[in-house]
């Protein structure tokens, strides 16, 4: 199954995350099919915290990709919902 989930990057105690389309059997930081955005929890504003390629996320949702719970919450903040 293909999932849209977070991949951790950044330094120790300063995490940054990429929103990636991955096979569900891959490790958390494993090989991704496509990067569709990023999430920086330490940033001050929502524009700095979250950046999403909306058309690519909608494409992957249309072809059957599933979102993790955290990604679903982040995408709701970005204005993208599961239809």
């Amino acid at each position: 199954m293909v999932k849209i989930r977070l991949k951790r990057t950044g330094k120790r105690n300063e995490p940054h995350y990429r929103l990636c389309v991955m096979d569900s059997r891959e490790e958390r930081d494993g090989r991704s099919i496509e990067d569709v955005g990023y999430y920086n929890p330490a940033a001050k504003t929502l524009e700095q915290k979250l950046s999403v390629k909306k058309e690519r996320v909608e494409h992957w949702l249309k072809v059957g990709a599933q979102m993790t719970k955290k990604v679903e919450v982040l995408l709701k903040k970005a204005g993208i919902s599961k239809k």
Side-chain angles (χ1 to χ4, degrees), residues 1-7 17-28 36 39 57 61 64-76 80-82:
M1 175 189 311
V2 177
K3 287 193 170 197
I4 301 173
R5 62 187 196 185
L6 296 174
K7 179 193 281 191
Y17 299 93
R18 291 184 186 162
L19 273 73
C20 297
V21 178
M22 305 177 82
D23 187 349
S24 63
R25 295 170 290 185
E26 287 287 336
E27 297 175 346
R28 178 193 69 185
V36 293
Y39 171 58
V57 170
L61 291 175
Q66 299 292 314
M67 297 183 280
T68 60
K69 290 180 182 178
K70 182 64 177 180
V71 170
E72 191 170 354
V73 169
L74 291 173
L75 291 180
K76 280 185 183 177
I80 301 172
S81 63
K82 191 187 265 186

